[in-house]
Every structure is written in structure tokens, then in C-alpha cells.
Amino acid sequence: MKKLLMLMFLSLASIGLYAQDTQAKIEFKTDVIDYGEIEQGSDGVRVFEFTNTGNAPLVISKVSSSCGCTIPKKPEEPVMPGKTGKIEVKYDTNRVGPIRKTIMVLSNASNPTVALKIKGKVVPSSGK
């Protein structure tokens, strides 16, 4: 009886350890994109690339920016373990001046909240 109880306990413990180790992990190539100097009206789209380095599907539930001049776009489908994904960010380059914005990424990863940043400067157009 003791052996049976011990075997059941060890089985449950190993299942619990396995379940704790099964989670998504998100790793970005970079967490800052520098636009540098960009002309007014230029293409303001940039991409943050990431990899799911965990062993469970990664689901990005929400991506938001610190203001309405920056529009982020998240992947709609889960990113499987070992696969890469992209978060597209579009900045409104019709606004002349410095760029310093934060994009918040919420997911089911072991680090559920990640802050991404864009920076740079929009300069007046050279007369197009």
C-alpha cells in the first residue's frame, strides 16, 4: 500500500513539474527601433520581430501604444514554439518633431508584459 501511494505521489509530482515548465516565452530581436531622421510624409511602418522560445503556443492578446499617432498591429494566430512572429508599428510621419513612443505587448508568455520603444525625429519634407 505504501509503495502504491508513493508511486501515485511521484506520478502527480512529475506531472505538476512538467505542467509548470510548459509555457510560452517571447524574445524580441530588439526592443527599440530608431527611425533616425525621417522626412515628413515618409513611410512610418517598422517591424519588431520576436521568437517564441518556450514550449507552448504564444498568444499575444493585446498590443497598444502610448498615443494615437502610433498604430501597432499584432499577429492574430498563436505563434508556435520555435517560430517567429512580427508586430508591425505605423507612426504618423505627418507630425514634425521628435518621436518617443512606447508600445505595450500583453501575452501569455512567462514575461506577460513587454514594453517596446520607437524613437527618432520627423523633419520637414525637402519639397516633394
Side-chain angles (χ1 to χ4, degrees):
M1 183 68 167
K2 285 183 181 181
K3 287 182 182 181
L4 180 61
L5 287 174
M6 182 60 83
L7 181 61
M8 286 176 34
F9 173 76
L10 290 175
S11 297
L12 289 174
S14 65
I15 289 171
L17 289 175
Y18 176 77
Q20 289 176 355
D21 199 31
T22 304
Q23 61 185 26
K25 294 180 184 175
I26 189 169
E27 287 188 23
F28 285 88
K29 281 189 176 181
T30 182
D31 60 355
V32 177
I33 289 181
D34 188 350
Y35 281 69
E37 282 196 358
I38 184 170
E39 278 194 12
Q40 182 179 13
S42 296
D43 180 18
V45 176
R46 300 293 184 273
V47 175
F48 286 96
E49 292 184 19
F50 64 88
T51 302
N52 178 359
T53 59
N55 51 16
L58 172 68
V59 177
I60 296 181
S61 54
K62 184 177 181 183
V63 180
S64 59
S65 67
S66 57
C67 83
C69 59
T70 308
I71 301 169
K73 184 179 174 185
K74 69 179 185 72
E76 294 301 320
E77 298 296 320
V79 178
M80 294 296 128
K83 300 296 182 185
T84 60
K86 297 177 181 182
I87 294 177
E88 185 178 284
V89 177
K90 181 177 183 181
Y91 181 76
D92 180 5
T93 59
N94 289 318
R95 302 168 186 238
V96 174
I99 303 169
R100 295 226 184 281
K101 305 297 175 194
T102 302
I103 294 93
M104 297 301 297
V105 179
L106 303 176
S107 71
N108 67 330
S110 57
N111 50 334
T113 305
V114 177
L116 306 174
K117 299 189 184 295
I118 60 171
K119 64 180 185 174
K121 183 177 182 182
V122 178
V123 296
S125 178
S126 59
K128 290 183 179 176

